[in-house]
Amino acid sequence: MLIGFCIAQGLFLQYFQIATFCWITIIAFDLWMIVVRKRTRTSFLEKFYHIGAWVTALLFALFPLVTSSYGLSGIWCWIVNTDTASSVWRFLVFYIPLYLMILVVIVLYVMIIYNVIKYFKKSDTDDKSKKRVRRQLNRLKLYPIIFLLLYIFPIINRIYDWSSDGDQSFFLFLMQALTAPLLGFANGIVYVGLDPEMRRSWKNFLFTHGCCTKYTEPKAGDGITSSESESFDSVDLDIPIG
């Protein structure tokens, strides 16, 4: 019974970690499509994003089952490090995909920032539009930064666990347990807290459901100017491709 629970925990941990890495990469790719490739409407890719992220995560979680490689790994269950097959799975379904996706995200954001800088230098767009684009980009850039900051300890812990020949660090496991689960919450704060339109939508939602009765009803555009309410997609980004 306990062995079954341990295998399930390790499988779900692997699944959602890989899914997180995939979605961080997809966010960067989608922004690259908008800014660099000038595809202001990328909704047609949404189904491919979902298929790619969830199917990839599922396959990478199922593969270690072939060699029964899930088991107790430190203070929780994951892919064990007790035999050659399990060590190979760690690299094939975790370490290599993680570092490749980090590299891809960095490259995509370098290209995005480079094109935006060129756009600001050459464009005659009014200051309000430039300010709006800059604000949206600054918010989007926080996603990979948050990912890297919160996954510093998990990455260090995984490397240490692999290279220490069985010697494990309780401090690293503790820091991983404290920081890694915060990723979704931190992304939510960035998505809702730093976007004026989302803040206004939540105010309206909470008011209509009686959660903010002591506040006055938010008016259309309350706390947000007309220029702020325009989405990133509505901005004409005449950014040269190159």
Side-chain angles (χ1 to χ4, degrees):
M1 180 69 72
L2 292 178
I3 295 176
F5 279 119
C6 185
I7 293 174
Q9 183 194 55
L11 188 148
F12 280 111
L13 181 62
Q14 170 68 8
Y15 176 78
F16 286 109
Q17 284 186 126
I18 295 299
T20 298
F21 302 157
C22 289
W23 280 111
I24 292 292
T25 308
I26 287 170
I27 290 173
F29 175 78
D30 196 71
L31 183 58
W32 176 82
M33 287 287 289
I34 294 172
V35 175
V36 180
R37 302 298 298 177
K38 296 191 288 187
R39 300 289 184 88
T40 57
R41 294 291 183 269
T42 59
S43 57
F44 71 96
L45 292 172
E46 185 175 344
K47 60 182 178 182
F48 299 107
Y49 291 160
H50 281 283
I51 293 172
W54 301 122
V55 172
T56 298
L58 180 62
L59 291 175
F60 282 17
L62 292 177
F63 284 151
L65 289 175
V66 175
T67 53
S68 301
S69 293
Y70 285 115
L72 186 62
S73 178
I75 62 175
W76 50 63
C77 299
W78 188 54
I79 303 172
V80 297
N81 192 27
T82 56
D83 56 83
T84 302
S86 298
S87 298
V88 170
W89 281 129
R90 281 192 172 198
F91 273 94
L92 291 180
V93 301
F94 185 80
Y95 294 117
I96 294 176
L98 171 61
Y99 298 132
L100 283 177
M101 283 187 268
I102 289 177
L103 179 61
V104 169
V105 167
I106 292 174
V107 171
L108 289 175
Y109 270 93
V110 167
M111 296 174 67
I112 291 166
I113 293 171
Y114 172 74
N115 278 269
V116 170
I117 291 175
K118 286 203 308 181
Y119 164 73
F120 281 140
K121 287 182 178 180
K122 297 180 180 180
S123 176
D124 295 328
T125 306
D126 60 277
D127 291 338
K128 287 185 178 180
S129 295
K130 288 184 177 181
K131 183 179 179 181
R132 185 166 61 252
V133 175
R134 186 182 293 111
R135 182 172 57 249
Q136 293 286 354
L137 288 174
N138 286 339
R139 181 166 64 93
L140 290 168
K141 284 189 296 185
L142 287 176
Y143 291 116
I145 293 174
I146 289 173
F147 169 69
L148 291 175
L149 289 177
L150 292 181
Y151 261 79
I152 285 178
F153 284 107
I155 292 173
I156 293 175
N157 185 36
R158 294 304 187 192
I159 295 175
Y160 181 81
D161 184 40
W162 165 72
S163 61
S164 61
D165 194 25
D167 183 26
Q168 297 171 336
S169 169
F170 175 78
F171 172 75
L172 290 177
F173 273 104
L174 177 63
M175 294 306 297
Q176 177 176 347
L178 292 175
T179 57
L182 293 175
L183 183 61
F185 175 76
N187 285 338
I189 292 297
V190 172
Y191 183 72
V192 176
L194 298 184
D195 182 53
E197 180 65 22
M198 284 299 303
R199 289 201 302 270
R200 186 172 68 84
S201 297
W202 273 101
K203 285 180 182 179
N204 285 324
F205 173 81
L206 294 174
F207 181 86
T208 55
H209 288 76
C211 299
C212 297
T213 54
K214 69 177 181 177
Y215 298 109
T216 58
E217 182 177 1
K219 300 177 182 178
D222 184 25
I224 151 180
T225 65
S226 59
S227 63
E228 287 176 325
S229 64
E230 295 179 31
S231 67
F232 179 74
D233 286 348
S234 67
V235 181
D236 182 16
L237 286 177
D238 187 19
I239 301 177
I241 301 174

